[in-house]
Amino acid sequence: MNKILLEIKGTQRIDNQQDKIELTTVGTLEETADAYIIKYTEEQEPPKAPLNVCIKICKNEKSVEMTRSGAFNSCLIIEKSKRNLCHYGTEYGDILMGISGHTIEGEYIKEKGKFIFSYDIDMNGALVSRNEVRISFRKNRE
Protein backbone atom coordinates (compact mmCIF):
# COMPACT_ATOMS: atom_id res chain seq x y z
CA MET A 1 0.00 0.00 0.00
CA ASN A 2 1.45 3.34 -1.08
CA LYS A 3 0.82 6.73 0.50
CA ILE A 4 -0.42 9.19 -2.12
CA LEU A 5 -1.30 12.84 -2.53
CA LEU A 6 -4.80 13.09 -4.00
CA GLU A 7 -6.56 15.84 -5.94
CA ILE A 8 -10.26 15.16 -6.37
CA LYS A 9 -12.48 17.36 -8.51
CA GLY A 10 -16.20 16.71 -8.66
CA THR A 11 -18.64 18.42 -10.98
CA GLN A 12 -22.39 18.18 -10.54
CA ARG A 13 -24.82 19.56 -13.13
CA ILE A 14 -28.45 20.15 -12.22
CA ASP A 15 -30.59 21.67 -14.96
CA ASN A 16 -28.52 24.64 -16.21
CA GLN A 17 -26.54 25.03 -12.99
CA GLN A 18 -23.13 23.59 -12.22
CA ASP A 19 -21.45 23.02 -8.86
CA LYS A 20 -17.78 22.09 -8.39
CA ILE A 21 -16.05 20.59 -5.40
CA GLU A 22 -12.28 20.30 -5.08
CA LEU A 23 -10.37 18.39 -2.41
CA THR A 24 -6.65 17.88 -1.89
CA THR A 25 -5.71 15.30 0.72
CA VAL A 26 -3.44 12.38 1.49
CA GLY A 27 -4.53 8.78 1.28
CA THR A 28 -3.42 5.34 0.26
CA LEU A 29 -3.40 3.40 -2.99
CA GLU A 30 -3.46 -0.38 -3.09
CA GLU A 31 -3.16 -2.31 -6.32
CA THR A 32 -4.70 -5.77 -6.54
CA ALA A 33 -4.82 -8.14 -9.50
CA ASP A 34 -8.03 -6.57 -10.81
CA ALA A 35 -8.46 -3.16 -9.14
CA TYR A 36 -6.97 0.00 -7.72
CA ILE A 37 -8.22 0.85 -4.23
CA ILE A 38 -7.93 4.43 -2.99
CA LYS A 39 -8.68 5.26 0.65
CA TYR A 40 -8.77 8.64 2.37
CA THR A 41 -10.50 10.53 5.16
CA GLU A 42 -12.90 13.35 4.32
CA GLU A 43 -13.20 16.02 7.01
CA GLN A 44 -16.65 17.44 7.75
CA GLU A 45 -17.85 20.70 9.27
CA PRO A 46 -17.63 20.45 13.07
CA PRO A 47 -19.18 18.90 15.05
CA LYS A 48 -19.62 16.20 12.41
CA ALA A 49 -17.10 13.35 12.49
CA PRO A 50 -14.85 12.67 9.47
CA LEU A 51 -15.91 10.14 6.83
CA ASN A 52 -13.75 7.27 5.61
CA VAL A 53 -13.90 6.97 1.84
CA CYS A 54 -12.89 3.97 -0.27
CA ILE A 55 -12.93 4.06 -4.07
CA LYS A 56 -12.37 0.80 -5.92
CA ILE A 57 -11.70 1.21 -9.65
CA CYS A 58 -11.62 -1.99 -11.69
CA LYS A 59 -8.64 -2.23 -14.03
CA ASN A 60 -10.91 -3.29 -16.90
CA GLU A 61 -12.61 0.13 -16.55
CA LYS A 62 -16.06 -1.44 -16.28
CA SER A 63 -16.96 -0.37 -12.74
CA VAL A 64 -16.22 1.90 -9.80
CA GLU A 65 -17.44 1.37 -6.25
CA MET A 66 -17.44 4.34 -3.88
CA THR A 67 -18.17 3.70 -0.22
CA ARG A 68 -18.34 6.23 2.57
CA SER A 69 -18.49 5.19 6.21
CA GLY A 70 -18.95 7.22 9.34
CA ALA A 71 -22.07 8.64 10.95
CA PHE A 72 -23.90 7.88 7.67
CA ASN A 73 -22.93 5.18 5.21
CA SER A 74 -23.33 5.03 1.46
CA CYS A 75 -22.23 2.84 -1.41
CA LEU A 76 -22.45 3.92 -5.04
CA ILE A 77 -21.77 1.39 -7.76
CA ILE A 78 -21.01 2.88 -11.15
CA GLU A 79 -20.94 0.54 -14.13
CA LYS A 80 -20.59 1.60 -17.75
CA SER A 81 -23.94 1.63 -19.56
CA LYS A 82 -25.77 0.15 -16.57
CA ARG A 83 -28.15 1.49 -13.91
CA ASN A 84 -27.74 0.37 -10.29
CA LEU A 85 -29.89 1.15 -7.25
CA CYS A 86 -27.73 2.42 -4.40
CA HIS A 87 -28.29 3.58 -0.82
CA TYR A 88 -27.04 6.99 0.26
CA GLY A 89 -27.11 7.67 3.99
CA THR A 90 -28.16 11.06 5.37
CA GLU A 91 -29.00 12.34 8.83
CA TYR A 92 -32.68 11.97 7.86
CA GLY A 93 -32.37 8.36 6.73
CA ASP A 94 -31.28 6.41 3.66
CA ILE A 95 -32.15 7.54 0.16
CA LEU A 96 -32.50 5.03 -2.67
CA MET A 97 -30.98 6.43 -5.87
CA GLY A 98 -30.45 5.16 -9.39
CA ILE A 99 -26.85 5.46 -10.59
CA SER A 100 -26.32 5.23 -14.36
CA GLY A 101 -22.66 4.96 -15.35
CA HIS A 102 -21.16 6.53 -18.45
CA THR A 103 -17.40 6.98 -18.62
CA ILE A 104 -14.74 5.14 -16.62
CA GLU A 105 -11.13 5.82 -17.59
CA GLY A 106 -7.86 5.27 -15.81
CA GLU A 107 -4.15 5.76 -16.26
CA TYR A 108 -1.47 4.70 -13.78
CA ILE A 109 2.22 4.97 -14.60
CA LYS A 110 4.82 4.33 -11.87
CA GLU A 111 4.58 7.31 -9.52
CA LYS A 112 1.32 8.94 -10.60
CA GLY A 113 -2.03 8.45 -12.26
CA LYS A 114 -5.55 9.67 -12.82
CA PHE A 115 -9.06 8.29 -12.95
CA ILE A 116 -12.13 9.88 -14.49
CA PHE A 117 -15.68 8.61 -14.21
CA SER A 118 -19.08 10.08 -14.93
CA TYR A 119 -22.58 9.05 -13.96
CA ASP A 120 -26.16 10.27 -13.62
CA ILE A 121 -28.21 10.18 -10.44
CA ASP A 122 -31.97 9.68 -10.59
CA MET A 123 -34.70 9.38 -8.00
CA ASN A 124 -38.00 7.73 -8.85
CA GLY A 125 -36.80 7.60 -12.46
CA ALA A 126 -36.35 11.40 -12.73
CA LEU A 127 -32.89 12.75 -13.49
CA VAL A 128 -31.47 14.61 -10.48
CA SER A 129 -27.92 15.39 -11.63
CA ARG A 130 -25.11 14.59 -14.05
CA ASN A 131 -21.80 14.03 -12.28
CA GLU A 132 -18.14 13.73 -13.15
CA VAL A 133 -15.28 12.87 -10.79
CA ARG A 134 -11.62 13.43 -11.67
CA ILE A 135 -9.01 11.95 -9.36
CA SER A 136 -5.33 12.60 -9.90
CA PHE A 137 -2.63 11.31 -7.58
CA ARG A 138 1.06 10.89 -7.11
CA LYS A 139 3.05 8.92 -4.63
CA ASN A 140 3.70 10.94 -1.51
CA ARG A 141 7.39 11.51 -0.89
CA GLU A 142 8.08 11.67 2.82
Side-chain angles (χ1 to χ4, degrees):
M1 196 172 320
N2 295 306
K3 289 187 177 181
I4 56 173
L5 179 65
L6 284 160
E7 283 188 26
I8 303 168
K9 296 179 181 181
T11 304
Q12 183 179 52
R13 290 177 188 83
I14 303 169
D15 297 323
N16 292 327
Q17 298 179 6
Q18 180 172 299
D19 188 29
K20 288 187 178 188
I21 297 171
E22 294 187 18
L23 170 68
T24 301
T25 189
V26 293
T28 61
L29 172 70
E30 179 182 353
E31 184 176 358
T32 66
D34 61 346
Y36 298 105
I37 301 168
I38 296 172
K39 294 182 181 180
Y40 65 93
T41 300
E42 190 174 294
E43 297 297 326
Q44 302 294 301
E45 292 285 329
K48 295 180 182 176
L51 296 172
N52 295 312
V53 180
C54 178
I55 304 172
K56 180 180 177 184
I57 303 118
C58 289
K59 288 182 177 180
N60 64 10
E61 298 183 351
K62 289 189 177 187
S63 69
V64 174
E65 182 178 314
M66 292 191 304
T67 57
R68 298 172 90 181
S69 58
F72 310 103
N73 300 322
S74 63
C75 180
L76 303 182
I77 298 171
I78 302 160
E79 292 181 275
K80 279 186 179 179
S81 304
K82 188 173 180 184
R83 181 176 180 265
N84 289 292
L85 292 177
C86 300
H87 289 273
Y88 189 84
T90 73
E91 60 189 285
Y92 305 106
D94 283 358
I95 298 171
L96 185 62
M97 303 184 305
I99 306 295
S100 300
H102 298 295
T103 306
I104 300 172
E105 299 173 1
E107 179 181 302
Y108 180 39
I109 304 169
K110 291 187 182 181
E111 301 285 315
K112 62 183 180 175
K114 65 181 176 181
F115 299 108
I116 301 168
F117 47 95
S118 63
Y119 57 96
D120 292 345
I121 297 176
D122 71 76
M123 294 172 131
N124 295 325
L127 180 65
V128 174
S129 66
R130 295 188 181 276
N131 304 273
E132 181 180 81
V133 177
R134 292 177 174 266
I135 300 171
S136 58
F137 63 91
R138 62 180 162 84
K139 289 187 180 174
N140 200 6
R141 298 172 200 232
E142 294 185 68

